[in-house]
């Protein structure tokens, strides 16, 4: 107390008004430092834009509000940057297919199509963007897809209908949480690229569906049954009545027992959010969402799918 009185008397200590003014000035200086930090981060991302791997790291760091170089740094450096506000999903601009930055300026549907039709490497580095775009699409009350029967099950080529490979899925839990609380409430990639070859076949001429799993061209497990497509509500009901299994030259199958409880609207179904000549997006009865891409005869021959 004596020391404090001496400081005030000598003018070293600050009166309360002076202290408050000094605190406000300190806070303003911190805000200016945060702004300079974000600008340095953006410039750093710009310099990395010509390098595929670095651009991917930079994009990931930007989504977390930290410069890529400091994401690689030690704990003390990361703690130093903890107060830097995260910018809105900044992606470095890059010209290479090896970076998710090629998704810049695409709307949600275009982004999903780009990723779904790309190779596995690009898909893996774009998994989070795929998840966030699907959440946005699911929340929009858009017009129902038109000509669903022709798009999903058309048989113009005389190949027994149309064939669709399952690409990506988001489970019910993540879908509901992201819808109610925002995508930031879901960690990781949010969804998953389907790890094995799963191809569905719909044929509008026979109203039959096939849902098969194919492994290395030597093993297949195919469920088949009837489907009903309600164009007005964009709902496709289906149920399976047969299972066929093949292993190399060996194959066998059998009819499945009927389930009297699975009739009418109690059958499994897909609600289609979008369908065109390239991709289809639908919600299943289980509450999740999935993306398929259309595959042609050459793909099926190469992969041993329905041949």
């Amino acid at each position: 107390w004596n020391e404090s009185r001496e400081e005030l008397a000598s003018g070293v200590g600050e009166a309360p008004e002076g202290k408050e003014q000094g605190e406000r000035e300190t806070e303003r200086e911190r805000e200016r430092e945060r702004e300079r930090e974000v600008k340095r981060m953006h410039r750093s991302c710009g310099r990395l834009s010509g390098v595929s791997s670095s651009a991917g790291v930079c994009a990931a760091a930007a989504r977390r509000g930290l410069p890529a170089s400091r994401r690689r740094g030690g704990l003390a450096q990361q703690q130093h940057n903890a107060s830097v506000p995260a910018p809105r999903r900044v992606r470095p601009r890059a010209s290479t297919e090896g970076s998710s930055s090629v998704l810049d300026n695409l709307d949600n549907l275009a982004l999903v199509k780009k990723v779904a039709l790309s190779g596995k490497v690009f898909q893996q580095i774009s998994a989070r963007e795929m998840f966030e775009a699907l959440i946005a699409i699911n929340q929009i009350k858009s017009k129902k897809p038109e000509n669903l029967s022709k798009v999903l099950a058309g048989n113009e080529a005389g190949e027994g209908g149309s064939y669709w490979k399952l690409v990506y899925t988001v489970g019910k839990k993540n879908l509901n949480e992201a819808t109610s609380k925002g995508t930031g409430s879901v960690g990781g990639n949010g969804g998953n690229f389907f790890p094995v070859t799963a191809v569905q076949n719909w044929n509008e001429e026979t109203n039959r569906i096939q849902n098969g799993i194919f492994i290395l061209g030597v093993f297949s497990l195919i469920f088949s049954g009837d489907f009903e497509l309600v164009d007005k509500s964009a709902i496709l009901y289906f149920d399976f009545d047969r299972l066929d299994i093949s292993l190399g030259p060996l194959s066998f199958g059998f009819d499945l027992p009927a389930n009297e409880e699975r009739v009418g609207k109690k059958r499994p179904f897909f609600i289609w959010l979008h369908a065109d000549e390239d991709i289809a997006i639908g919600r299943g009865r289980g509450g999740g969402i999935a993306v398929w891409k259309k595959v042609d005869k050459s793909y099926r021959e190469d992969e041993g799918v329905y041949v």
Side-chain angles (χ1 to χ4, degrees):
W1 167 248
N2 289 333
E3 293 175 355
S4 298
R5 284 194 303 173
E6 291 175 0
E7 288 177 350
L8 287 173
S10 63
V12 175
E14 292 184 332
E17 295 81 359
K19 180 177 291 186
E20 291 177 0
Q21 182 177 356
E23 290 176 350
R24 288 194 296 270
E25 182 62 30
T26 300
E27 183 61 27
R28 284 195 292 269
E29 179 59 30
R30 288 175 180 170
E31 289 296 331
R32 287 193 290 269
E33 176 59 27
R34 292 190 186 104
E35 292 176 1
R36 289 193 292 269
E37 188 70 23
V38 172
K39 289 179 181 179
R40 286 195 294 270
M41 179 185 66
H42 291 173
R43 288 196 297 269
S44 176
C45 286
R47 288 194 295 271
L48 290 172
S49 62
V51 183
S52 170
S53 60
S54 297
V57 172
C58 187
R63 288 194 294 272
R64 294 164 172 81
L66 297 174
S69 59
R70 294 189 179 180
R71 288 295 294 176
R72 299 189 186 98
L75 177 60
Q77 189 65 59
Q78 294 178 21
Q79 290 173 340
H80 171 75
N81 288 313
S83 62
V84 179
R88 294 183 180 178
R89 293 182 64 191
V90 177
R91 301 191 191 101
R93 296 186 178 276
S95 59
T96 174
E97 284 280 325
S99 169
S100 61
S101 61
V102 300
L103 302 177
D104 280 349
N105 301 322
L106 296 180
D107 62 32
N108 292 312
L109 182 57
L111 187 151
V112 170
K113 180 177 291 192
K114 172 68 177 178
V115 177
L117 300 179
S118 298
K120 291 183 179 179
V121 174
F122 184 85
Q123 287 180 345
Q124 293 302 323
I125 65 175
S126 307
R128 182 68 188 189
E129 285 84 351
M130 183 80 147
F131 167 71
E132 294 179 359
L134 284 172
I135 297 302
I137 292 172
N138 183 58
Q139 292 175 310
I140 297 174
K141 293 183 179 180
S142 58
K143 185 179 179 181
K144 299 298 182 183
E146 297 180 352
N147 301 318
L148 266 177
S149 182
K150 291 293 183 182
V151 173
L152 291 175
N155 191 34
E156 290 83 357
E159 297 179 2
S162 299
Y163 298 83
W164 297 85
K165 181 181 185 296
L166 181 60
V167 176
Y168 186 86
T169 61
V170 178
K172 176 181 178 179
K173 180 180 178 181
N174 284 357
L175 179 61
N176 290 345
E177 187 167 348
T179 301
S180 60
K181 300 179 182 179
T183 55
S185 64
V186 178
N189 289 331
N192 299 286
F193 289 97
F194 207 69
V196 298
T197 301
V199 178
Q200 294 187 354
N201 161 234
W202 292 292
N203 188 337
E204 68 171 351
E205 293 183 356
T206 62
N207 282 342
R208 294 286 288 179
I209 176 179
Q210 296 185 93
N211 187 9
I213 298 291
F214 303 86
I215 299 178
L216 301 176
V218 297
F219 173 80
S220 67
L221 184 150
I222 302 174
F223 289 92
S224 57
D226 295 328
F227 75 84
E228 176 189 1
L229 181 59
V230 182
D231 282 298
K232 183 177 180 180
S233 55
I235 299 179
L236 186 148
Y237 295 98
F238 65 94
D239 201 3
F240 298 123
D241 54 30
R242 183 171 177 81
L243 173 62
D244 290 282
I245 301 173
S246 295
L247 178 61
L250 304 177
S251 62
F252 64 95
F254 52 89
D255 294 334
L256 300 174
N259 187 337
E260 296 180 356
E261 296 181 356
R262 293 171 60 163
V263 296
K265 294 183 178 181
K266 295 182 179 181
R267 291 171 292 176
F269 60 79
F270 295 116
I271 301 175
W272 298 104
L273 306 180
H274 175 80
D276 60 31
E277 292 300 323
D278 297 312
I279 67 168
I281 305 171
R283 286 197 311 269
R285 182 180 178 181
I289 192 170
V291 180
W292 293 260
K293 70 175 181 179
K294 201 169 190 178
V295 294
D296 57 18
K297 184 177 181 180
S298 63
Y299 170 87
R300 293 189 288 111
E301 291 177 344
D302 291 342
E303 299 294 328
V305 173
Y306 298 115
V307 293

